[in-house]
């Protein structure tokens, strides 16, 4: 959950790097919360409005995190516009060297 909150705190930060772990934990919690919002919306009879609001709320943090993940692999954030490349890139490890987007930071072990 810390990775999800970290991404929300950096919701408009398109600079720097985001490690693979940060990206995938955010995606996991985003999917789980989205499913929860959909269930709550169906219970109250409004199937689309709550889901739409949550999706709109999460668009900018998701985009910023994807750009930082591209930076971590050593690519420009503009590669987010190429979905196939971006999906493949999300599975690669980080660039283990400092790059023009920021220094390589070793993650603390959980």
């Amino acid at each position: 959950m810390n990775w999800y909150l970290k991404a929300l705190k950096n919701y408009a930060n398109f600079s720097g790097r985001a490690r693979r772990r940060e990206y995938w934990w955010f995606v996991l919690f985003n999917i789980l919360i989205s499913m929860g919002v959909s269930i709550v919306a169906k219970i109250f009879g409004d199937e689309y409005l709550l889901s739409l609001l949550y999706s709109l709320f999460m668009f900018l943090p998701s985009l910023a995190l994807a750009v930082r993940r591209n930076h971590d692999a050593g690519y420009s954030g503009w590669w987010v516009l190429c979905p196939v490349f971006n999906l493949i890139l999300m599975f690669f490890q980080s660039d283990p060297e400092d790059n023009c987007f920021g220094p390589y930071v070793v993650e603390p072990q959980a």
Side-chain angles (χ1 to χ4, degrees), residues 11-53:
Y11 76 95
N13 182 10
F14 289 87
S15 61
R17 298 169 72 163
R19 301 292 302 270
R20 185 172 51 175
R21 175 181 282 179
E22 179 182 352
Y23 178 80
W24 284 114
W25 277 110
F26 174 80
V27 168
L28 174 68
F29 278 102
N30 196 25
I31 289 171
L32 292 175
I33 292 171
S34 179
M35 288 171 49
V37 167
S38 296
I39 290 169
V40 168
K42 285 192 184 248
I43 289 172
F44 289 111
D46 185 16
E47 296 181 25
Y48 301 108
L49 183 62
L50 283 176
S51 298
L52 176 67
L53 290 175

Side-chain angles (χ1 to χ4, degrees), residues 56-104:
L56 288 174
F57 176 72
M58 294 310 298
F59 176 72
L60 193 59
S62 299
L63 182 63
L65 185 62
V67 167
R68 290 195 314 268
R69 177 69 190 116
N70 281 334
H71 289 173
D72 191 49
Y75 294 97
S76 169
W78 288 103
W79 280 102
V80 171
L81 298 175
C82 183
V84 174
F85 175 79
N86 199 33
L87 180 65
I88 293 168
L89 181 67
M90 296 307 156
F91 292 99
F92 286 126
Q93 290 187 0
S94 304
D95 183 10
E97 303 291 328
D98 294 350
N99 62 23
C100 62
F101 303 109
Y104 179 76

